[in-house]
Amino acid sequence: MAKQTPLYEKHIESNAKMVDFGGWDMPLHYGSQLEEHKQVRTDAGMFDVSHMTVVDIKGANVRDFLSRLVANDVGKLKIKGKALYTCMLNESGGVIDDLIIYYLDDDWFRLVVNAATREKDLAWLQSQAEAMDDVTVTERGDLAMIAVQGPNAREKVYAAMGEDIREATRELKPFHAVLIGELMIASTGYTGEDGFEIIIPAKAAPFTWQMLLEAGVAPIGLGARDTLRLEAGMNLYGSDMDETTTPLESGLAWTVAWEPADRDFIGRAALEKQKGNVPRKLVGLVLQGKGVLRAHQKVICEQGEGEITSGSFSPTLGQSIALARVPAGTGDMVDVDIRGKAVPAKVVKYPFVRNGKSCL
Amino acid sequence: MSNIPGELKYSKSHEWVRINDDGSVTIGITEHAQDLMGDMVYVELPESGASLNQGDDCAVVESVKAASDVYAPIGGEVLEVNDALADAPETINSDPYGEGWIFRMNPSDGAEVDALMDANAYEELVASED
């Protein structure tokens, strides 16, 4: 039996097509994935992301704990509310999960990790915390999470949730969060658009969702969430990276903090070893011929073979795009094997789309 | 419940078949099939003049989510393909039994046409899959 979020009934009311996603019964779309995608790029849409795992890490040694746990450096979090995107690695440098860490207080950091990796993440966090004095790991199953994204997202959130929210977020810079009583509002997201991710007590979630609906925020399913994040060039755990790939091979070198040099994070030794000679890299592809790029299609390049890790039709660009892991040194053009035909694709820097506009 | 026109024949792989007055047949995918796939973004059509056996994968329809093969519900020669789908694949969503047709063929074996499901049998198949 799949788990249901506190917003399950709201999805049914909006005629969602529900699917199993990582053990959760989640909305795939509410009618048309393309319309929902466009809604987020041009106006405002909301996603139920309550299936994601919120974990509070508390205690006097929380900074030392996180400093060892993740590849990015929590030392960068100097102002309360600031957020950090990072990977949590195993000893061989493979990615256990990617996550956002919010600095909420000197002895309190909040982690948001993926839904599909919940159990292994919690087990890993607990086992690492056992080795440390005065650090507690608490999953916050009592919370729900709603992401409101799009150029009109902020205004519609204010219309739905009140002017005191406008006041509280007036100074909120990108990738920061603010606590307002039991609410946490963060200027983070997974679409490449402006907006908020709102963490809210589960009991209050259906009412807030309804207020957002009435303010003209359309519900958006997981289908559009995937095409939006792909256009934004954001990695998806389990597709673009996993425990067999390092951040350096996954387009995530920017999330690895090498300084200070004496910070001994888990996986550091393995990454140091790979650093000067990374065999593979993640690139963006734009299909030049006909068809649609899909995950696991073979990429043929002069240097050897690669593989598409995420691929789809891009509704904003009107052509097919992908992320692919290819040999280092791959040039500007590759071929992709689409059902036995070699179709040319251009290698590009991503993101593909940011704030509703093509970056190509 | 999805729309299943009574005058058409159906295959287990969710193609519909219309028998035309000249003996040729027109083929597309059912409303149920397009609904499962979602918004269409690309169609790979068969080649006009191609000779197909029953069950051959002869076309591909791709939605935002996934690619799906279209199988020849019967054997025969492809007479005409719906080129308009190249620029407007979403027609399969909006009018699956009309403007969203995929190709027309000349059946090689009338018995294969007779053995296709009628609307009632197809309705039962759809119900059993839900």
Side-chain angles (χ1 to χ4, degrees):
Chain A
M1 177 79 192
K3 287 180 280 191
Q4 296 176 352
T5 77
L7 294 166
Y8 177 82
E9 294 297 335
K10 303 307 288 180
H11 303 318
I12 301 302
E13 282 173 27
S14 289
N15 297 316
K17 161 104 178 132
M18 303 298 285
V19 291
D20 182 89
F21 180 84
W24 292 83
D25 217 351
M26 297 300 290
L28 180 62
H29 62 74
Y30 302 82
S32 165
Q33 179 176 336
L34 286 179
E35 286 301 316
E36 290 166 24
H37 183 105
K38 199 172 141 207
Q39 172 76 18
V40 173
R41 287 275 179 254
T42 58
D43 187 358
M46 61 181 163
F47 306 82
D48 176 12
V49 280
S50 306
H51 60 309
M52 294 192 76
T53 313
V54 179
V55 186
D56 282 346
I57 314 277
K58 289 191 173 182
N61 292 325
V62 61
R63 270 190 186 269
D64 291 342
F65 173 71
L66 293 173
S67 182
R68 173 155 172 72
L69 183 79
V70 299
N72 211 336
D73 182 13
V74 289
K76 294 176 184 171
L77 301 178
K78 295 192 167 61
I79 302 163
K80 276 181 200 167
K82 190 161 171 40
L84 185 75
Y85 174 71
T86 183
C87 290
M88 180 160 85
L89 307 180
N90 59 30
E91 289 291 353
S92 6
V95 182
I96 295 173
D97 202 4
D98 65 337
L99 60 148
I100 294 182
I101 299 178
Y102 297 94
Y103 166 33
L104 297 182
D105 212 336
D106 290 331
D107 58 356
W108 178 18
F109 286 65
R110 176 166 284 172
L111 277 48
V112 178
V113 305
N114 281 298
T117 49
R118 176 180 170 273
E119 264 142 57
K120 74 163 185 178
D121 287 359
L122 289 172
W124 178 256
L125 289 170
Q126 291 292 2
S127 72
Q128 294 302 317
E130 274 167 23
M132 197 99 192
D133 288 333
D134 199 18
V135 170
T136 61
V137 175
T138 311
E139 188 198 0
R140 296 296 306 270
D142 56 324
L143 299 177
M145 189 161 161
I146 302 171
V148 188
Q149 302 273 296
N152 300 329
R154 281 175 189 253
E155 281 307 321
K156 291 192 171 178
V157 166
Y158 302 145
M161 298 178 71
E163 285 300 307
D164 45 335
I165 303 291
R166 185 196 300 273
E167 274 312 305
T169 57
R170 194 180 290 280
E171 304 290 321
L172 196 65
K173 290 186 222 116
F175 233 69
H176 281 70
V178 61
L179 285 170
I180 309 163
E182 290 186 291
L183 270 184
M184 187 185 103
I185 300 199
S187 52
T188 48
Y190 199 42
T191 62
E193 298 296 328
D194 192 19
F196 292 132
E197 290 183 303
I198 300 167
I199 295 183
I200 187 170
K203 277 186 214 157
F207 177 76
T208 300
W209 182 271
Q210 184 61 34
M211 290 296 104
L212 287 162
L213 270 181
E214 287 172 20
V217 182
I220 312 294
L222 290 178
R225 184 170 165 82
D226 192 51
T227 47
L228 287 159
R229 71 89 196 168
L230 178 61
E231 286 186 345
M234 293 173 174
N235 288 39
L236 172 63
Y237 187 80
S239 296
D240 304 311
M241 73 290 197
D242 58 25
E243 293 193 25
T244 69
T245 58
T246 71
L248 308 182
E249 300 165 301
S250 309
L252 297 175
W254 63 277
T255 70
V256 178
W258 301 104
E259 300 294 334
D262 61 351
R263 186 177 64 95
D264 183 27
F265 64 84
I266 299 165
R268 176 163 192 142
L271 293 194
E272 295 274 9
K273 215 167 160 185
Q274 192 187 51
K275 198 178 170 186
N277 186 24
V278 185
R280 302 175 293 174
K281 61 175 178 179
L282 203 70
V283 295
L285 298 182
V286 178
L287 190 66
Q288 305 296 294
K290 291 190 168 184
V292 182
L293 299 170
R294 302 282 181 193
H296 308 302
Q297 285 169 349
K298 196 163 67 174
V299 180
I300 306 136
C301 6
E302 272 174 39
Q303 291 75 12
E305 282 183 5
E307 188 182 90
I308 290 186
T309 54
S310 292
S312 182
F313 174 78
S314 158
T316 306
L317 302 174
Q319 53 192 329
S320 184
I321 59 171
L323 296 176
R325 184 169 284 107
V326 296
T330 294
D332 297 339
M333 288 294 293
V334 295
D335 282 330
V336 179
D337 182 336
I338 300 182
R339 290 183 291 274
K341 275 183 225 161
V343 185
K346 196 172 162 195
V347 177
V348 299
K349 287 212 169 80
Y350 53 89
F352 303 93
V353 175
R354 192 47 56 99
N355 293 321
K357 304 259 171 2
S358 169
C359 303
L360 298 180
Chain B
M1 193 67 226
S2 91
N3 178 20
I4 302 171
E7 73 275 19
L8 303 180
K9 298 268 206 175
Y10 298 89
S11 72
K12 280 184 187 154
S13 45
H14 303 285
E15 290 86 15
W16 57 261
V17 175
R18 173 177 288 118
I19 301 158
N20 303 311
D21 293 343
D22 63 359
S24 71
V25 299
T26 304
I27 291 155
I29 66 166
T30 64
E31 185 173 290
H32 174 71
Q34 68 77 28
D35 187 51
L36 283 181
M37 291 199 63
D39 299 305
M40 294 296 174
V41 294
Y42 176 68
V43 180
E44 197 173 289
L45 296 162
E47 304 246 339
S48 202
S51 173
L52 301 175
N53 292 316
Q54 188 177 39
D56 282 355
D57 48 354
C58 58
V60 179
V61 287
E62 296 210 32
S63 68
V64 194
K65 316 194 272 246
S68 180
D69 286 316
V70 177
Y71 299 96
I74 53 169
E77 186 197 351
V78 178
L79 298 172
E80 188 186 3
V81 300
N82 187 0
D83 288 319
L85 294 178
D87 291 325
E90 65 276 9
T91 314
I92 291 180
N93 297 117
S94 58
D95 192 9
Y97 299 114
E99 295 297 317
W101 66 279
I102 297 174
F103 63 106
R104 198 162 66 82
M105 66 193 292
N106 197 9
S108 54
D109 181 357
E112 286 179 351
V113 180
D114 294 340
L116 290 166
M117 280 180 279
D118 64 13
N120 287 336
Y122 182 66
E123 193 174 336
E124 276 173 34
L125 175 79
V126 170
S128 72
E129 285 184 356
D130 280 342

